[in-house]
Amino acid sequence: MEPFYFEKFNSTHGKKISEILNSLWGFGNNIKHQKTADKFGRAYLYYCLSHSDYAWTLCSGKEIIGITAWRELSKNKIKSSDKISFVKKNIYFLKAFFNALPIFFVKDFTYQVKAWKTFFKECNLQEKELPCTFDSELILFVNDSKVRGQGTGKLMMEFYKEKLKSHHLETFFLHTDTECNYGFYDRAGLKRKLTKVVNEKNGSLQDRWEIFIYANK
């Protein structure tokens, strides 16, 4: 595989990143409603981007490997051409809305939609319980399972930290759950600040679904 490098997210990256999300979460496995299932990844991607200030794609040659997207929470006067504009954020939100809309009308996806709603609701509640403020939130951090074990996650995390440092920022937090590779954050030295157990009846795809907040302080 060719050397890894980072590139500012652009519209040509969206399709591949969506496929990575669908593959990791199994959203694209509904053959009966394949076209609608594929919209899960696109809707989630653009929802995250609509709430982010920065988004960078990890690449290798012409291949898209993963994405890191975050928002800055502290008041920051540094202006950067890399920042996602207000206009683009609104475009991304509209893309998220139009991709998500068909999903809500397909009965076969009721369970997944319920889990999705529960996750966002619990994340908002958890943030209110945080004992301190942070400089940034890591909103989307995902890479292709094909390159797991090749140091890509560590590379993406170091890239994110360097970007924060260049803006004189240090602290950050993120949301994750037991349907993701949350063990990576333990190995990366982050601290688990909060845990919420969600029962299956509340929308989980597993018997025991836990939602976490990790932070670097």
Side-chain angles (χ1 to χ4, degrees):
M1 182 171 283
E2 297 182 47
F4 298 117
Y5 64 93
F6 289 92
E7 188 174 295
K8 185 179 176 182
F9 176 85
N10 64 64
S11 58
T12 64
H13 301 160
K15 184 176 184 296
K16 179 58 180 179
I17 296 297
S18 299
E19 290 174 357
I20 291 173
L21 289 168
N22 281 336
S23 175
L24 291 174
W25 295 332
F27 288 152
N29 297 333
N30 191 313
I31 304 301
K32 183 180 177 181
H33 302 287
Q34 190 64 57
K35 289 184 178 180
T36 305
D38 290 341
K39 292 181 181 294
F40 268 102
R42 276 175 272 169
Y44 187 76
L45 168 63
Y46 288 112
Y47 175 83
C48 290
L49 291 174
S50 72
H51 287 74
S52 299
D53 294 317
Y54 300 91
W56 287 81
T57 303
L58 178 63
C59 309
S60 176
K62 294 183 179 180
E63 189 174 357
I64 305 299
I65 303 299
I67 187 171
T68 307
W70 66 92
R71 63 175 175 144
E72 294 182 347
L73 301 172
S74 63
K75 292 183 179 180
N76 193 324
K77 296 183 179 180
I78 295 177
K79 294 183 179 180
S80 173
S81 59
D82 294 332
K83 197 168 186 177
I84 300 172
S85 69
F86 176 78
V87 173
K88 277 193 174 181
K89 285 186 180 184
N90 281 280
I91 291 173
Y92 291 149
F93 182 81
L94 289 174
K95 284 186 175 183
F97 175 79
F98 285 113
N99 277 288
L101 192 60
I103 299 169
F104 288 86
F105 295 97
V106 179
K107 188 176 180 180
D108 288 354
F109 296 120
T110 301
Y111 206 42
Q112 288 92 334
V113 168
K114 193 175 182 182
W116 209 358
K117 288 180 177 179
T118 299
F119 178 75
F120 286 126
K121 177 184 176 181
E122 294 299 335
C123 285
N124 288 331
L125 291 174
Q126 278 188 322
E127 284 188 31
K128 295 177 181 179
E129 297 178 26
L130 285 172
C132 56
T133 58
F134 292 87
D135 296 328
S136 174
E137 178 188 1
L138 183 54
I139 293 179
L140 184 60
F141 186 86
V142 65
N143 59 10
D144 197 326
S145 58
K146 296 177 182 177
V147 296
R148 294 279 171 83
Q150 297 183 31
T152 54
K154 182 178 179 180
L155 183 64
M156 291 165 63
M157 183 60 72
E158 290 303 315
F159 177 83
Y160 169 53
K161 289 179 179 178
E162 284 299 317
K163 285 294 184 181
L164 289 185
K165 187 177 179 180
S166 69
H167 286 192
H168 311 295
L169 305 177
E170 295 181 358
T171 61
F172 67 90
F173 74 95
L174 60 94
H175 294 279
T176 189
D177 60 75
T178 46
E179 293 178 5
C180 300
N181 182 26
Y182 65 92
F184 167 81
Y185 302 113
D186 290 310
R187 295 190 294 273
L190 301 187
K191 299 177 177 62
R192 189 182 299 179
K193 309 297 288 187
L194 294 168
T195 299
K196 170 68 175 181
V197 177
V198 182
N199 296 324
E200 186 176 3
K201 62 181 181 181
N202 290 329
S204 173
L205 301 180
Q206 301 178 8
D207 291 338
R208 181 179 175 82
W209 189 32
E210 294 179 276
I211 299 173
F212 311 119
I213 283 186
Y214 278 85
N216 68 334
K217 76 167 187 177

